[in-house]
Amino acid sequence: MADVTIWNEFRHEREDDAVAAVYPDGIHAPIADALADDHAVRTATLDDPEHGLTAGVLDATDVLLWWGHEAHDEVRDAVVDRVHERVLEGMGLIPLHSSHYSKIFKRLMGTSCRLQYREDGGTERLWVVDPGHPIADGLDESIELPESEMYGEPFDIPEPDRQVFVSWFEGGEVFRSGCCYRRGNGRIFYFRPGHETYPIYEHDDIRRVLRNAVDWAAPTEGSPRTFGERE
């Protein structure tokens, strides 16, 4: 069982009636529900003191899920520094949807993380392109979302260590929607679906991916590492 923290900006749900109708308790609520049977789960939001990500919370977190969109710039750099250090130490990080543009993901990637997008409510099909990867356990060959926001290439990220999903959209665009990385001792999985006006986090297969991703990203003991001068 992993200790999981779900961080949500929690602005759209309080400012937009259409979003509140889909996620009345916040986007973090269905994500927490999807994980609660197998993991110890806590939630944190942007407007909590220190964004809810104190040193104590992060020290107790095995995997951090992150959802942000309209207020990336409001996340304090000191908190980003703290999260960055914990990822390098071994904490897993799962940035969701528009968190591709979060301060922490851009810092870890070292690129702009920009992309193309279109909010049209069209169908998205996520193809499993690495069926042997643990994050794909229990899935069919694709996941179909009847309503979604389009993200399209080019996606300005480094080449992933493993590519688990590639999305296709009705407009013909494709997108790298499930990207795995290692930074220091930490595992990172960027997962694209999750626009705030569609009930994507209620979808059974999306919830399965989140559970699999937490299991994959949770730290393992491994072998000790030493640095510096050696006698």
Side-chain angles (χ1 to χ4, degrees), residues 143-226:
I143 301 170
E144 184 165 313
L145 301 175
E147 292 182 302
S148 191
E149 179 184 24
M150 186 280 290
Y151 276 12
E153 299 286 346
F155 186 15
D156 185 23
I157 55 172
E159 186 71 21
D161 298 333
R162 296 280 292 271
Q163 185 73 50
V164 184
F165 302 106
V166 169
S167 286
W168 166 92
F169 299 89
E170 282 193 59
E173 298 88 358
V174 295
F175 189 76
R176 289 168 287 170
S177 287
C179 305
C180 298
Y181 298 93
R182 288 292 295 265
R183 293 292 185 270
N185 281 340
R187 293 181 175 184
I188 302 163
F189 177 62
Y190 170 72
F191 190 44
R192 195 216 69 82
H195 187 68
E196 64 272 10
T197 59
Y198 309 118
I200 287 170
Y201 294 121
E202 302 288 355
H203 192 290
D204 287 343
D205 283 341
I206 297 299
R207 292 160 73 92
R208 181 183 293 274
V209 170
L210 295 178
R211 290 192 294 271
N212 290 347
V214 166
D215 291 340
W216 172 82
T220 56
E221 289 189 15
S223 175
R225 300 196 301 172
T226 59

